[in-house]
Amino acid sequence: MTHLRARVALHPDFRVGPIDRRLFGSFVEHLGRAVYTGIYEPGHPTADEHGFRRDVAELTHELGVTMLRYPGGNFVSNYVWEDGVGPVEDRKPFLDLAWRTVEPNTVGTDEFLRWAEREGIEPMMAVNLGTRGVAAAAALVEYCNGEAGTRWADLRIANGRAEPYGVRLWCLGNEMDGPWQIGHKDAHEYGKLAAEAGKAMKLVDPSISLVVCGSSSMQMDTFGEWEQTVLSYTYDLVDHISMHAYYEELAGDRASFLGSGTAMDRFIDRVVASADAVGAARRSDKRITISFDEWNVWYLQSRFPGETNLPVQRDAPRIIEDVYSALDAVVVGDLLVTLLNHADRVPVAALAQLVNVIAPIMTEPDGEAWRQPTFHPFATTARLARGEVLDVRVEVPTTPTRAHGDVPLVTAAATHDPATGAVALFLTNRSAEPVDVDVDHLGLSIDLTEGWRMVADHEAAVEGPAHARKVLDACWSAVDVASTTRSSGAGAARTTVTLDPESWTALSGTLSHA
């Protein structure tokens, strides 16, 4: 049988840039069951002495998460952080306007930061620039990072935490371009507020890094203009601009869904171009990088009724608990390929979210925790991608799609760790046919020893751990490297990999000079 063919050329002398481990971040928002019965459930059989579920923490480590964004998301734009610190028995529940949920206020800044510290995960904190502003943002930085002898640092100490938390990464609000956002602002209003809040925050702690809000998606009417206007106020102050993007299969358009990584790639290129245009106009040598701090497959249009249609609920309601298929997992793997290939401009990213809410990890109250199909490509990429991303060149046929125009049938990313010689190759076959990929590595020898593959299914996803295990058994498997790859060419300078239809594959081994 004759397969479609693609060619990938790689060499460790040609690099995109080093992999920032914060690329493998995730997100915990006070939304649905992300916090309560997600990461936190006192009385659960695995709960630690602080009430946090050990089963979830262990899966978080297995997932490879390095960083967590908190406390939102839309939630942050109505959040009074001072109400969520101090003795829990003194805290009052309040109505979160973003998700129309009564927030019990049991978990707040201290509980989250202490949990992240115990688990060795870097926190990424967001400040409320929706209903609040400069003073509250600066106070939160002082509370988290200040030394003894000032008002907010002394409050932290009185609440039982003597040492500063040392939070380094801060979001200046969330999706402020979105009309759904509590306290929504236009680009000029937000740009001015973000500049003043960021200035005050850095006066409290000059060592922090700031993320300014970019567009909530490439489909926003203000996209592009928003980035340039906001950065015209904040360029010299901030380090990163945020990007958010979610993808889903619509109206059975499988080809467009499988091509979602191409849409992400174009989105990143356009945001980079907008940021660099502002820098060029300012004659600045500074380069703004991207915090892609919300990305995932989310069936937003086809399954979610919208925030305003949610009834007021309490007790951690089940909101946005998408159940994922192997097809969704292939797309997640392909989106990771795109993020790796932009490692020079995307040092920070967060899969939204970690637990229960459009998440790779699901739980039942007082019950088990399990991995969704999307868990596996993320965990495998986080484990294998080390060192630097190589600048691979891909020659491959394209196919037309309704949503994205022509997209490549195969995508590829490769990483190499010069210290160990470890190499990893990540490949997506978007075609419904097998593809033979010729990987050319002239003058080099590649010894592949491990591989994993997710093959898309054609079944509707079903809620619960039994379905997740069924997908795992049917669609996720170790690769028999010997039968899947073969070497050829002078000095074995070519390795051919056969990819299953609609699949994501990760291969790893060592690379050395032939």
Side-chain angles (χ1 to χ4, degrees), residues 136-482:
L140 181 55
V141 176
E142 183 184 321
Y143 183 88
C144 293
N145 293 359
E147 300 286 349
T150 63
R151 174 187 178 185
W152 297 110
D154 285 349
L155 178 61
R156 181 195 72 237
I157 295 168
N159 289 335
R161 171 70 182 204
E163 295 300 316
Y165 290 109
V167 179
R168 293 289 162 248
L169 194 55
W170 294 82
C171 300
L172 295 167
N174 174 75
E175 293 186 353
M176 297 308 300
D177 64 324
W180 58 85
Q181 200 69 209
I182 308 300
H184 160 66
K185 296 169 176 61
D186 67 30
H188 291 281
E189 292 171 322
Y190 170 68
K192 292 176 182 178
L193 176 59
E196 292 305 313
K199 178 173 71 177
M201 293 163 72
K202 283 202 166 184
L203 286 171
V204 174
D205 184 351
S207 72
I208 64 175
S209 296
L210 298 177
V211 180
V212 73
C213 289
S215 294
S216 301
S217 77
M218 194 165 59
Q219 287 68 48
M220 298 295 292
D221 291 340
T222 54
F223 170 61
E225 179 184 356
W226 173 274
E227 279 76 8
Q228 294 200 39
T229 301
V230 167
L231 286 174
S232 73
Y233 292 102
T234 62
Y235 194 93
D236 295 330
L237 183 75
V238 303
D239 303 277
H240 316 285
I241 187 165
S242 73
M243 290 178 62
H244 293 177
Y246 296 101
Y247 304 95
E248 64 183 299
E249 183 182 5
L250 292 170
D253 188 358
R254 193 175 178 97
S256 292
F257 184 44
L258 283 162
S260 296
T262 296
M264 177 188 264
D265 181 72
R266 292 169 183 165
F267 189 11
I268 293 170
D269 284 344
R270 290 166 186 173
V271 173
V272 166
S274 295
D276 286 350
V278 177
R282 301 171 78 87
R283 298 173 179 83
S284 175
D285 294 329
K286 178 179 180 179
R287 279 205 322 176
I288 298 292
T289 54
I290 289 166
S291 173
F292 213 131
D293 45 51
E294 289 189 32
W295 71 271
N296 205 347
V297 171
W298 177 12
Y299 287 86
L300 173 62
Q301 297 181 54
S302 55
R303 298 181 191 169
F304 181 54
E307 298 93 330
T308 57
N309 293 319
L310 294 172
V312 173
Q313 301 176 86
R314 59 178 70 237
D315 301 323
R318 295 176 185 261
I319 302 175
I320 320 180
E321 297 196 5
D322 277 6
V323 181
Y324 291 123
S325 67
L327 173 62
D328 298 322
V330 169
V331 171
V332 165
D334 192 45
L335 296 173
L336 285 161
V337 168
T338 300
L339 290 172
L340 285 171
N341 283 329
H342 287 279
D344 58 331
R345 296 305 291 263
V346 187
V348 179
L351 179 73
Q353 296 194 13
L354 179 67
V355 189
N356 290 327
V357 177
I358 51 171
I361 300 170
M362 297 296 291
T363 71
E364 273 299 312
D366 201 38
E368 68 178 302
W370 66 93
R371 307 163 188 82
Q372 289 229 63
T374 54
F375 182 102
H376 305 289
F378 188 101
T380 303
T381 305
R383 179 171 60 86
L384 298 181
R386 299 283 166 174
E388 301 173 319
V389 178
L390 301 185
D391 186 6
V392 299
R393 300 305 167 98
V394 182
E395 296 177 8
V396 61
T398 61
T399 188
T401 65
R402 290 204 298 268
H404 314 306
D406 290 341
V407 305
L409 284 176
V410 171
T411 64
T415 64
H416 176 243
D417 186 349
T420 65
V423 67
L425 185 63
F426 306 93
L427 299 160
T428 310
N429 179 10
R430 297 166 169 173
S431 165
E433 304 293 333
V435 175
D436 285 335
V437 180
D438 297 323
V439 181
D440 289 340
H441 40 89
L442 188 64
L444 300 166
S445 174
I446 291 181
D447 180 22
L448 296 173
T449 56
E450 179 188 357
W452 293 91
R453 175 192 295 121
M454 180 70 75
V455 180
D457 54 9
H458 290 265
E459 295 185 22
V462 178
E463 185 176 356
H467 173 78
R469 285 190 284 267
K470 177 183 175 183
V471 172
L472 182 66
D473 292 341
C475 302
W476 175 248
S477 62
V479 171
D480 182 348
V481 176

